[in-house]
Amino acid sequence: MTEESRNKPLYMISVAAELTGMHPQTLRVYESKGLVNPKRSGGNTRLYSQADIERLELINQLTDEGINLAGVVRILDMKERAEEREHEAEQLRARVRQLEDELHELKMQKKITALAPRDGSADPEKVLRGLLSGGDL
């Protein structure tokens, strides 16, 4: 499921309550405390996304384990920050791979340039053999 589809507002409060096994008033309380932020329709109806449902299920699990709402807020914040850090790390890994590819290409260009004759008199077959043998600089 894509991030866009996970965040698409789909479920009215009655459906969200049924999906999570919570009372609609509990969902309203969680919204008032900032634990979940459903979108609103043009008629001001709360619409919950799949991501909201998953978040509510996590809140339900944590409270069932005896964690109070302050602890839930702290856990959700740490979870979000960890996800942000992981996203940043993925971006950095992709950038490192890109730079490694660019460096490799520059090294190959340097090898090729070193094998090419400066005066234009070298035998092309000899240059090709040098390239194929992995001639080092």
Side-chain angles (χ1 to χ4, degrees):
M1 180 175 279
T2 66
E3 191 65 26
E4 185 178 323
S5 63
R6 285 185 69 246
N7 290 315
K8 184 176 181 179
L10 297 172
Y11 309 110
M12 293 185 349
I13 194 167
S14 58
V15 176
E18 187 174 327
L19 288 171
T20 60
M22 297 178 176
H23 192 278
Q25 186 60 35
T26 303
L27 301 184
R28 290 185 195 95
V29 169
Y30 287 172
E31 180 183 6
S32 71
K33 298 197 178 287
L35 291 169
V36 66
N37 295 304
K39 303 291 185 268
R40 297 286 182 146
S41 70
N44 208 29
T45 301
R46 290 173 178 88
L47 293 174
Y48 293 82
S49 67
Q50 185 59 40
D52 291 330
I53 299 299
E54 291 167 11
R55 184 177 178 94
L56 288 165
E57 288 171 341
L58 177 59
I59 293 168
N60 204 16
Q61 178 186 353
L62 293 170
T63 56
D64 284 351
E65 291 174 6
I67 297 172
N68 64 22
L69 290 183
V72 169
V73 168
R74 177 68 71 179
I75 290 168
L76 292 174
D77 179 62
M78 290 185 330
K79 181 180 180 292
E80 288 170 5
R81 291 183 62 171
E83 288 169 354
E84 288 170 6
R85 297 297 180 266
E86 182 57 33
H87 180 68
E88 289 172 0
E90 287 173 19
Q91 289 178 318
L92 289 171
R93 283 190 291 270
R95 180 69 175 134
V96 166
R97 281 190 299 273
Q98 178 187 7
L99 291 171
E100 286 173 340
D101 290 346
E102 289 175 15
L103 179 60
H104 176 77
E105 180 60 29
L106 289 172
K107 286 180 178 180
M108 291 307 301
Q109 289 176 7
K110 186 176 180 182
K111 283 183 178 183
I112 291 167
T113 301
L115 290 171
R118 303 250 188 262
D119 62 5
S121 63
D123 178 12
E125 194 172 312
K126 182 178 177 185
V127 171
L128 183 58
R129 266 189 261 121
L131 285 173
L132 294 175
S133 70
D136 289 328
L137 302 177

